[in-house]
Amino acid sequence: KTCGFQLLEFWELKSTSLKVKDFTDFSFAEKGKYLALDLGGTNFRVLLVKIRSGRNKSVRIYNKIFAIPLEIMQGTGEELFDHIVQCIADFLEYMGIKGARLPLGFTFSFPCRQTSIDKGALVGWTKGFKATNCEGEDVVDLLREAIKRRNEFDLDIVAVVNDTVGTMMTCGYEDPYCEIGLIAGTGSNVCYMEEMKHIEIIEGDEGKMCINTEWGGFGDNGCLDNFRTRYDQEVDSGSLNPGKQKYEKMTSGMYLGEIVRQILIDLTKRGLLFRGQISESLRRRGIFETKYLSQIESDRLALLQVRRILQQLGLDGTCDDSIIVKEVCGYVSKRAAQLCGGGLAAVVEKIRDNRKLEHLKTTIGVDGTLYKLHPHFSRILQETVKELAPQCDVTFMLSEDGSGKGAALITAVAKRMHQVAEN
Protein backbone atom coordinates (compact mmCIF):
# COMPACT_ATOMS: atom_id res chain seq x y z
CA LYS A 1 0.00 0.00 0.00
CA THR A 2 2.90 2.38 0.71
CA CYS A 3 4.20 1.56 -2.74
CA GLY A 4 0.78 2.40 -4.20
CA PHE A 5 0.66 5.85 -2.57
CA GLN A 6 4.15 6.62 -3.85
CA LEU A 7 2.98 5.55 -7.29
CA LEU A 8 0.13 8.09 -7.19
CA GLU A 9 2.55 10.82 -6.17
CA PHE A 10 4.84 9.87 -9.06
CA TRP A 11 1.96 10.14 -11.56
CA GLU A 12 0.88 13.55 -10.29
CA LEU A 13 4.39 14.84 -10.90
CA LYS A 14 5.35 13.01 -14.06
CA SER A 15 2.21 12.49 -16.16
CA THR A 16 2.98 14.95 -18.95
CA SER A 17 1.97 12.88 -21.98
CA LEU A 18 -1.50 14.35 -22.40
CA LYS A 19 -3.78 12.87 -25.02
CA VAL A 20 -7.18 13.46 -26.59
CA LYS A 21 -9.42 15.65 -24.44
CA ASP A 22 -12.80 14.20 -23.43
CA PHE A 23 -13.45 10.90 -25.19
CA THR A 24 -17.19 11.61 -24.98
CA ASP A 25 -16.53 13.45 -28.24
CA PHE A 26 -16.60 10.01 -29.86
CA SER A 27 -20.20 10.04 -31.12
CA PHE A 28 -20.04 6.89 -33.27
CA ALA A 29 -20.73 9.14 -36.28
CA GLU A 30 -17.20 8.52 -37.55
CA LYS A 31 -16.85 6.75 -40.86
CA GLY A 32 -14.37 6.30 -43.68
CA LYS A 33 -10.94 4.79 -44.30
CA TYR A 34 -7.94 5.45 -42.05
CA LEU A 35 -4.36 4.23 -41.86
CA ALA A 36 -2.75 3.30 -38.57
CA LEU A 37 0.83 2.49 -37.64
CA ASP A 38 1.75 0.51 -34.52
CA LEU A 39 5.37 0.71 -33.35
CA GLY A 40 6.22 -0.68 -29.95
CA GLY A 41 8.43 -3.74 -30.25
CA THR A 42 10.37 -5.88 -32.69
CA ASN A 43 7.29 -6.10 -34.93
CA PHE A 44 5.76 -3.10 -36.70
CA ARG A 45 2.15 -3.15 -37.93
CA VAL A 46 0.53 -1.14 -40.70
CA LEU A 47 -3.27 -1.17 -40.75
CA LEU A 48 -6.08 -0.02 -43.00
CA VAL A 49 -9.18 0.56 -40.84
CA LYS A 50 -12.61 0.97 -42.43
CA ILE A 51 -15.21 2.48 -40.07
CA ARG A 52 -18.93 2.31 -40.75
CA SER A 53 -21.28 4.43 -38.62
CA GLY A 54 -24.96 4.25 -37.80
CA ARG A 55 -27.06 1.45 -36.39
CA ASN A 56 -24.90 -1.18 -38.08
CA LYS A 57 -21.64 0.40 -37.00
CA SER A 58 -18.61 -1.75 -37.64
CA VAL A 59 -14.84 -1.59 -37.89
CA ARG A 60 -13.03 -3.70 -40.48
CA ILE A 61 -9.27 -4.06 -40.24
CA TYR A 62 -6.65 -5.11 -42.78
CA ASN A 63 -3.10 -5.27 -41.48
CA LYS A 64 0.35 -6.52 -42.24
CA ILE A 65 3.18 -7.19 -39.78
CA PHE A 66 6.77 -6.26 -40.59
CA ALA A 67 9.88 -7.19 -38.61
CA ILE A 68 12.29 -4.54 -37.37
CA PRO A 69 15.80 -6.03 -37.34
CA LEU A 70 17.99 -5.41 -34.29
CA GLU A 71 20.47 -3.38 -36.35
CA ILE A 72 17.62 -1.03 -37.31
CA MET A 73 16.32 -0.78 -33.72
CA GLN A 74 19.78 0.20 -32.53
CA GLY A 75 21.02 2.07 -35.61
CA THR A 76 20.30 5.68 -36.55
CA GLY A 77 16.94 7.41 -36.33
CA GLU A 78 17.02 8.05 -40.07
CA GLU A 79 17.48 4.32 -40.77
CA LEU A 80 14.61 3.44 -38.42
CA PHE A 81 12.10 5.86 -39.94
CA ASP A 82 13.21 5.04 -43.49
CA HIS A 83 12.51 1.39 -42.66
CA ILE A 84 9.06 2.34 -41.31
CA VAL A 85 8.24 4.25 -44.51
CA GLN A 86 9.45 1.31 -46.60
CA CYS A 87 6.99 -0.91 -44.71
CA ILE A 88 4.19 1.63 -45.28
CA ALA A 89 5.00 1.71 -49.02
CA ASP A 90 4.87 -2.09 -49.20
CA PHE A 91 1.50 -2.14 -47.43
CA LEU A 92 -0.02 0.60 -49.59
CA GLU A 93 1.07 -1.26 -52.71
CA TYR A 94 -0.23 -4.55 -51.28
CA MET A 95 -3.65 -2.95 -50.62
CA GLY A 96 -3.68 -1.08 -53.95
CA ILE A 97 -4.07 2.37 -52.34
CA LYS A 98 -0.67 3.95 -52.94
CA GLY A 99 -2.15 7.11 -54.46
CA ALA A 100 -4.65 7.81 -51.67
CA ARG A 101 -3.84 10.51 -49.09
CA LEU A 102 -5.52 8.92 -46.09
CA PRO A 103 -5.68 10.27 -42.50
CA LEU A 104 -3.16 8.42 -40.34
CA GLY A 105 -2.87 7.63 -36.64
CA PHE A 106 0.57 6.71 -35.30
CA THR A 107 0.66 4.40 -32.28
CA PHE A 108 4.09 5.10 -30.81
CA SER A 109 4.58 3.08 -27.63
CA PHE A 110 7.45 4.98 -26.05
CA PRO A 111 7.53 7.84 -23.51
CA CYS A 112 6.74 11.15 -25.21
CA ARG A 113 6.17 14.70 -24.09
CA GLN A 114 3.01 15.51 -25.98
CA THR A 115 1.86 19.11 -26.48
CA SER A 116 -0.91 18.43 -28.99
CA ILE A 117 -2.59 15.46 -30.63
CA ASP A 118 -0.13 15.41 -33.55
CA LYS A 119 3.09 16.34 -31.74
CA GLY A 120 5.12 14.07 -29.46
CA ALA A 121 8.77 14.51 -28.52
CA LEU A 122 10.48 11.25 -27.59
CA VAL A 123 11.65 11.36 -23.95
CA GLY A 124 13.66 8.16 -24.14
CA TRP A 125 13.72 4.77 -25.82
CA THR A 126 12.62 1.60 -23.99
CA LYS A 127 12.11 -2.10 -24.85
CA GLY A 128 15.45 -2.60 -26.58
CA PHE A 129 15.31 0.38 -28.97
CA LYS A 130 18.32 2.68 -29.09
CA ALA A 131 18.11 4.50 -32.44
CA THR A 132 20.26 7.64 -32.38
CA ASN A 133 19.21 11.26 -33.00
CA CYS A 134 15.61 10.66 -31.92
CA GLU A 135 15.40 11.54 -28.24
CA GLY A 136 13.98 15.03 -27.79
CA GLU A 137 12.72 15.07 -31.38
CA ASP A 138 9.08 15.13 -32.52
CA VAL A 139 8.42 11.61 -33.85
CA VAL A 140 5.71 12.91 -36.20
CA ASP A 141 8.26 15.26 -37.79
CA LEU A 142 10.73 12.36 -38.11
CA LEU A 143 8.04 10.33 -39.89
CA ARG A 144 7.10 13.21 -42.19
CA GLU A 145 10.75 13.79 -43.10
CA ALA A 146 11.21 10.09 -43.95
CA ILE A 147 8.09 10.23 -46.18
CA LYS A 148 9.53 13.27 -47.96
CA ARG A 149 12.87 11.52 -48.48
CA ARG A 150 11.13 8.63 -50.20
CA ASN A 151 8.99 11.03 -52.28
CA GLU A 152 6.50 8.38 -53.44
CA PHE A 153 3.35 9.22 -51.47
CA ASP A 154 1.98 11.62 -48.87
CA LEU A 155 -0.05 10.96 -45.73
CA ASP A 156 -2.17 13.16 -43.48
CA ILE A 157 -0.68 12.42 -40.03
CA VAL A 158 -3.48 13.43 -37.66
CA ALA A 159 -2.59 11.86 -34.31
CA VAL A 160 0.24 10.25 -32.37
CA VAL A 161 -1.07 7.89 -29.70
CA ASN A 162 0.43 5.71 -26.99
CA ASP A 163 -0.58 2.03 -27.19
CA THR A 164 -2.33 2.23 -23.80
CA VAL A 165 -4.55 5.01 -25.18
CA GLY A 166 -5.23 3.07 -28.37
CA THR A 167 -6.17 0.01 -26.31
CA MET A 168 -8.52 2.02 -24.09
CA MET A 169 -10.16 3.57 -27.16
CA THR A 170 -10.55 0.19 -28.86
CA CYS A 171 -12.36 -1.25 -25.82
CA GLY A 172 -14.25 2.00 -25.21
CA TYR A 173 -15.81 1.60 -28.64
CA GLU A 174 -17.62 -1.46 -27.23
CA ASP A 175 -17.90 -0.57 -23.53
CA PRO A 176 -18.64 3.02 -22.41
CA TYR A 177 -17.36 2.21 -18.89
CA CYS A 178 -13.81 1.67 -20.23
CA GLU A 179 -11.63 4.51 -18.94
CA ILE A 180 -8.33 2.71 -18.28
CA GLY A 181 -5.92 1.14 -20.75
CA LEU A 182 -3.32 -1.44 -19.69
CA ILE A 183 -0.45 -2.91 -21.67
CA ALA A 184 1.08 -6.04 -20.14
CA GLY A 185 3.40 -7.43 -22.77
CA THR A 186 6.96 -6.66 -23.85
CA GLY A 187 6.56 -3.44 -21.88
CA SER A 188 4.23 -2.31 -19.11
CA ASN A 189 2.15 0.87 -19.01
CA VAL A 190 -1.24 2.32 -18.08
CA CYS A 191 -3.37 5.29 -19.09
CA TYR A 192 -6.59 6.52 -17.50
CA MET A 193 -9.20 9.28 -17.81
CA GLU A 194 -8.71 12.15 -15.37
CA GLU A 195 -10.98 15.13 -14.64
CA MET A 196 -9.52 18.34 -15.99
CA LYS A 197 -9.93 20.01 -12.60
CA HIS A 198 -7.23 17.70 -11.24
CA ILE A 199 -4.69 18.50 -13.97
CA GLU A 200 -2.75 21.53 -12.76
CA ILE A 201 -0.63 22.10 -15.85
CA ILE A 202 -3.65 22.54 -18.15
CA GLU A 203 -6.13 25.42 -17.97
CA GLY A 204 -9.85 24.72 -17.62
CA ASP A 205 -11.93 22.49 -15.34
CA GLU A 206 -14.48 21.06 -17.77
CA GLY A 207 -14.37 17.54 -19.18
CA LYS A 208 -11.71 14.86 -18.87
CA MET A 209 -8.32 14.18 -20.35
CA CYS A 210 -6.44 10.94 -20.88
CA ILE A 211 -3.22 10.66 -18.87
CA ASN A 212 -0.51 8.34 -20.14
CA THR A 213 1.24 7.53 -16.87
CA GLU A 214 4.38 5.89 -18.32
CA TRP A 215 4.42 3.93 -15.09
CA GLY A 216 7.32 1.80 -16.31
CA GLY A 217 9.54 4.61 -15.00
CA PHE A 218 8.10 4.37 -11.48
CA GLY A 219 10.96 3.68 -9.07
CA ASP A 220 13.62 5.49 -11.08
CA ASN A 221 13.94 7.92 -8.15
CA GLY A 222 14.81 5.06 -5.78
CA CYS A 223 11.40 4.62 -4.13
CA LEU A 224 11.24 0.95 -5.18
CA ASP A 225 14.72 0.02 -4.02
CA ASN A 226 13.47 -1.76 -0.89
CA PHE A 227 11.42 -4.07 -3.13
CA ARG A 228 14.14 -4.81 -5.68
CA THR A 229 16.34 -7.90 -5.34
CA ARG A 230 19.92 -8.37 -6.42
CA TYR A 231 18.54 -10.26 -9.42
CA ASP A 232 16.61 -7.12 -10.45
CA GLN A 233 19.80 -5.12 -10.05
CA GLU A 234 21.70 -7.54 -12.30
CA VAL A 235 19.01 -7.32 -14.98
CA ASP A 236 19.01 -3.52 -14.74
CA SER A 237 22.79 -3.13 -14.93
CA GLY A 238 22.95 -5.37 -18.02
CA SER A 239 20.17 -3.55 -19.88
CA LEU A 240 20.43 -0.87 -22.57
CA ASN A 241 19.04 1.75 -20.16
CA PRO A 242 20.48 1.08 -16.67
CA GLY A 243 18.75 2.93 -13.86
CA LYS A 244 15.60 3.56 -15.91
CA GLN A 245 12.20 1.84 -16.23
CA LYS A 246 12.72 -0.05 -12.96
CA TYR A 247 9.04 -0.90 -12.45
CA GLU A 248 8.80 -2.15 -16.04
CA LYS A 249 11.85 -4.34 -15.48
CA MET A 250 10.01 -6.09 -12.64
CA THR A 251 6.67 -6.53 -14.42
CA SER A 252 7.06 -6.83 -18.20
CA GLY A 253 7.66 -9.67 -20.60
CA MET A 254 10.92 -8.28 -21.91
CA TYR A 255 12.66 -8.84 -18.56
CA LEU A 256 10.98 -11.71 -16.66
CA GLY A 257 12.96 -14.42 -18.47
CA GLU A 258 16.21 -12.63 -17.68
CA ILE A 259 15.24 -12.39 -13.98
CA VAL A 260 14.68 -16.17 -14.01
CA ARG A 261 18.09 -16.71 -15.65
CA GLN A 262 19.83 -14.67 -12.95
CA ILE A 263 18.13 -16.74 -10.21
CA LEU A 264 19.05 -20.02 -11.94
CA ILE A 265 22.70 -18.92 -12.14
CA ASP A 266 22.71 -18.14 -8.42
CA LEU A 267 21.09 -21.46 -7.49
CA THR A 268 23.57 -23.32 -9.71
CA LYS A 269 26.50 -21.55 -8.03
CA ARG A 270 25.13 -22.75 -4.70
CA GLY A 271 25.05 -26.33 -6.01
CA LEU A 272 21.25 -26.52 -5.93
CA LEU A 273 20.72 -26.84 -9.70
CA PHE A 274 22.29 -28.54 -12.72
CA ARG A 275 24.83 -30.41 -10.55
CA GLY A 276 26.48 -27.09 -9.75
CA GLN A 277 27.71 -26.68 -13.35
CA ILE A 278 26.87 -23.41 -15.13
CA SER A 279 26.60 -24.25 -18.83
CA GLU A 280 27.60 -21.89 -21.62
CA SER A 281 23.92 -21.59 -22.54
CA LEU A 282 22.99 -20.34 -19.08
CA ARG A 283 25.72 -17.68 -19.30
CA ARG A 284 24.12 -16.15 -22.41
CA ARG A 285 22.01 -13.10 -21.67
CA GLY A 286 18.54 -13.35 -23.13
CA ILE A 287 18.64 -17.13 -23.63
CA PHE A 288 15.70 -17.67 -21.25
CA GLU A 289 12.88 -15.85 -23.06
CA THR A 290 9.65 -15.04 -21.27
CA LYS A 291 7.72 -17.36 -23.59
CA TYR A 292 9.46 -20.25 -21.81
CA LEU A 293 7.93 -19.10 -18.51
CA SER A 294 4.49 -19.40 -20.06
CA GLN A 295 5.26 -22.86 -21.39
CA ILE A 296 6.88 -24.15 -18.20
CA GLU A 297 4.09 -22.82 -15.96
CA SER A 298 1.34 -24.46 -17.97
CA ASP A 299 -0.68 -26.74 -15.66
CA ARG A 300 -0.92 -29.30 -18.46
CA LEU A 301 2.86 -29.58 -18.86
CA ALA A 302 4.43 -32.65 -17.24
CA LEU A 303 7.87 -32.44 -15.66
CA LEU A 304 9.28 -34.52 -18.50
CA GLN A 305 8.17 -31.82 -20.94
CA VAL A 306 9.70 -29.12 -18.72
CA ARG A 307 12.93 -31.09 -18.84
CA ARG A 308 12.75 -31.18 -22.66
CA ILE A 309 12.37 -27.39 -22.81
CA LEU A 310 15.45 -27.02 -20.60
CA GLN A 311 17.36 -29.40 -22.86
CA GLN A 312 16.37 -27.31 -25.91
CA LEU A 313 17.98 -24.37 -24.09
CA GLY A 314 21.15 -26.39 -23.51
CA LEU A 315 20.30 -26.94 -19.82
CA ASP A 316 20.59 -30.66 -19.17
CA GLY A 317 18.79 -31.02 -15.85
CA THR A 318 17.16 -33.76 -13.84
CA CYS A 319 13.47 -34.01 -12.93
CA ASP A 320 14.34 -32.41 -9.57
CA ASP A 321 15.92 -29.52 -11.49
CA SER A 322 12.72 -29.20 -13.52
CA ILE A 323 10.67 -28.87 -10.31
CA ILE A 324 12.91 -26.07 -9.05
CA VAL A 325 12.91 -24.22 -12.39
CA LYS A 326 9.12 -24.41 -12.51
CA GLU A 327 8.91 -23.00 -8.97
CA VAL A 328 11.28 -20.14 -9.86
CA CYS A 329 9.26 -19.25 -12.96
CA GLY A 330 6.07 -19.29 -10.88
CA TYR A 331 7.41 -16.92 -8.23
CA VAL A 332 8.82 -14.45 -10.77
CA SER A 333 5.56 -14.37 -12.72
CA LYS A 334 3.43 -14.10 -9.57
CA ARG A 335 5.46 -11.17 -8.27
CA ALA A 336 5.14 -9.40 -11.64
CA ALA A 337 1.37 -9.89 -11.73
CA GLN A 338 0.95 -8.72 -8.12
CA LEU A 339 3.10 -5.63 -8.67
CA CYS A 340 1.13 -4.80 -11.79
CA GLY A 341 -2.13 -5.43 -9.93
CA GLY A 342 -1.00 -3.14 -7.12
CA GLY A 343 -0.42 -0.35 -9.60
CA LEU A 344 -3.85 -0.86 -11.17
CA ALA A 345 -5.49 -0.86 -7.73
CA ALA A 346 -3.86 2.51 -7.07
CA VAL A 347 -5.29 3.86 -10.34
CA VAL A 348 -8.88 2.75 -9.74
CA GLU A 349 -8.75 3.95 -6.14
CA LYS A 350 -7.46 7.32 -7.35
CA ILE A 351 -10.39 7.62 -9.79
CA ARG A 352 -12.88 6.64 -7.06
CA ASP A 353 -11.36 9.04 -4.53
CA ASN A 354 -11.24 11.93 -7.03
CA ARG A 355 -14.94 11.49 -7.80
CA LYS A 356 -15.79 11.05 -4.11
CA LEU A 357 -17.64 7.80 -4.81
CA GLU A 358 -18.37 5.05 -2.31
CA HIS A 359 -18.32 2.53 -5.14
CA LEU A 360 -16.71 2.74 -8.60
CA LYS A 361 -17.73 0.68 -11.62
CA THR A 362 -15.11 0.74 -14.36
CA THR A 363 -13.61 -1.30 -17.20
CA ILE A 364 -9.93 -1.78 -17.99
CA GLY A 365 -9.03 -2.41 -21.62
CA VAL A 366 -6.04 -4.77 -21.80
CA ASP A 367 -3.57 -5.74 -24.49
CA GLY A 368 -0.20 -7.48 -24.41
CA THR A 369 1.17 -10.99 -24.85
CA LEU A 370 2.06 -11.48 -21.17
CA TYR A 371 -1.55 -10.91 -20.13
CA LYS A 372 -3.01 -12.90 -23.02
CA LEU A 373 -0.65 -15.88 -23.23
CA HIS A 374 0.72 -16.53 -19.73
CA PRO A 375 -1.39 -19.22 -18.02
CA HIS A 376 -1.73 -17.44 -14.65
CA PHE A 377 -0.69 -13.78 -15.00
CA SER A 378 -4.16 -12.37 -15.77
CA ARG A 379 -5.86 -14.28 -12.95
CA ILE A 380 -3.32 -13.20 -10.31
CA LEU A 381 -3.43 -9.60 -11.52
CA GLN A 382 -7.25 -9.51 -11.30
CA GLU A 383 -7.25 -11.11 -7.84
CA THR A 384 -4.73 -8.51 -6.63
CA VAL A 385 -6.84 -5.60 -7.88
CA LYS A 386 -9.93 -7.06 -6.21
CA GLU A 387 -8.08 -7.50 -2.90
CA LEU A 388 -6.48 -4.04 -2.84
CA ALA A 389 -9.45 -2.09 -4.25
CA PRO A 390 -12.52 -3.82 -2.75
CA GLN A 391 -14.76 -0.78 -3.30
CA CYS A 392 -14.18 -0.89 -7.05
CA ASP A 393 -16.09 -3.18 -9.41
CA VAL A 394 -13.51 -3.70 -12.14
CA THR A 395 -14.13 -5.50 -15.43
CA PHE A 396 -11.18 -6.54 -17.59
CA MET A 397 -11.77 -6.43 -21.34
CA LEU A 398 -9.32 -7.86 -23.85
CA SER A 399 -8.46 -5.65 -26.80
CA GLU A 400 -8.76 -8.22 -29.56
CA ASP A 401 -7.83 -5.84 -32.38
CA GLY A 402 -4.84 -4.21 -30.70
CA SER A 403 -4.02 -0.55 -30.22
CA GLY A 404 -3.88 0.16 -33.97
CA LYS A 405 -7.67 0.13 -34.19
CA GLY A 406 -7.82 2.63 -31.31
CA ALA A 407 -5.36 4.92 -33.07
CA ALA A 408 -7.59 4.89 -36.16
CA LEU A 409 -10.67 5.68 -34.06
CA ILE A 410 -8.88 8.59 -32.38
CA THR A 411 -7.77 9.82 -35.81
CA ALA A 412 -11.38 9.66 -36.99
CA VAL A 413 -12.56 11.71 -33.99
CA ALA A 414 -9.76 14.26 -34.38
CA LYS A 415 -10.43 14.61 -38.11
CA ARG A 416 -14.14 15.20 -37.54
CA MET A 417 -13.51 17.73 -34.75
CA HIS A 418 -11.03 19.57 -36.95
CA GLN A 419 -13.57 19.74 -39.79
CA VAL A 420 -16.26 21.01 -37.38
CA ALA A 421 -13.90 23.71 -36.13
CA GLU A 422 -13.08 24.80 -39.68
CA ASN A 423 -16.78 25.07 -40.55
Side-chain angles (χ1 to χ4, degrees), residues 20 81 141-142 144 253 296 353:
V20 179
F81 280 87
D141 284 344
L142 294 176
R144 285 182 176 136
I296 288 171
D353 184 60

Side-chain angles (χ1 to χ4, degrees), residues 85-94 98 150 152-153:
V85 172
Q86 174 66 59
C87 296
I88 297 171
D90 291 347
F91 179 77
L92 294 177
E93 189 168 342
Y94 173 76
K98 204 160 190 177
R150 189 172 183 90
E152 283 185 13
F153 55 85

Side-chain angles (χ1 to χ4, degrees), residues 13 18 33 36 60 132 141 196-197 250 264 277 300 316 327 344 352 396:
L13 293 173
L18 304 176
K33 296 178 183 179
R60 296 178 67 185
T132 59
D141 284 344
M196 288 287 290
K197 62 186 177 183
M250 299 168 77
L264 298 186
Q277 301 297 315
R300 294 173 293 182
D316 189 15
E327 286 287 305
L344 273 176
R352 187 184 68 82
F396 289 81

Side-chain angles (χ1 to χ4, degrees), residues 38-44 66-68 73 109-110 126-127 129 186:
D38 193 349
L39 178 67
T42 53
N43 289 328
F44 168 63
F66 300 88
I68 300 185
M73 292 169 60
S109 308
F110 302 92
T126 58
K127 294 176 284 192
F129 277 73
T186 304

Side-chain angles (χ1 to χ4, degrees), residues 163-165 167-168 178-183 189-192 344 363-366:
D163 54 351
T164 55
V165 182
T167 296
M168 184 184 71
C178 185
E179 53 188 343
I180 300 169
L182 166 68
I183 299 295
N189 194 17
V190 153
C191 73
Y192 74 105
L344 273 176
T363 297
I364 299 174
V366 191

Side-chain angles (χ1 to χ4, degrees), residues 69-86:
L70 184 64
E71 60 269 22
I72 296 291
M73 292 169 60
Q74 299 179 10
T76 68
E78 188 171 301
E79 289 170 339
L80 173 62
F81 280 87
D82 283 348
H83 179 75
I84 288 171
V85 172
Q86 174 66 59

Side-chain angles (χ1 to χ4, degrees), residues 332-405:
V332 170
S333 300
K334 183 177 181 180
R335 185 191 69 157
Q338 289 180 326
L339 282 170
C340 191
L344 273 176
V347 173
V348 296
E349 276 295 311
K350 177 177 174 62
I351 294 172
R352 187 184 68 82
D353 184 60
N354 281 353
R355 296 177 189 173
K356 296 180 172 52
L357 299 172
E358 288 188 14
H359 184 82
L360 173 70
K361 178 180 173 63
T362 190
T363 297
I364 299 174
V366 191
D367 200 0
T369 51
L370 185 59
Y371 186 92
K372 290 181 176 180
L373 301 181
H374 191 280
H376 307 299
F377 186 92
S378 61
R379 173 183 54 80
I380 296 170
L381 184 150
Q382 292 178 30
E383 290 172 351
T384 303
V385 173
K386 188 174 183 178
E387 180 183 351
L388 298 181
Q391 292 171 277
C392 300
D393 179 10
V394 181
T395 300
F396 289 81
M397 182 178 183
L398 277 177
S399 173
E400 298 296 343
D401 298 307
S403 54
K405 173 182 172 181

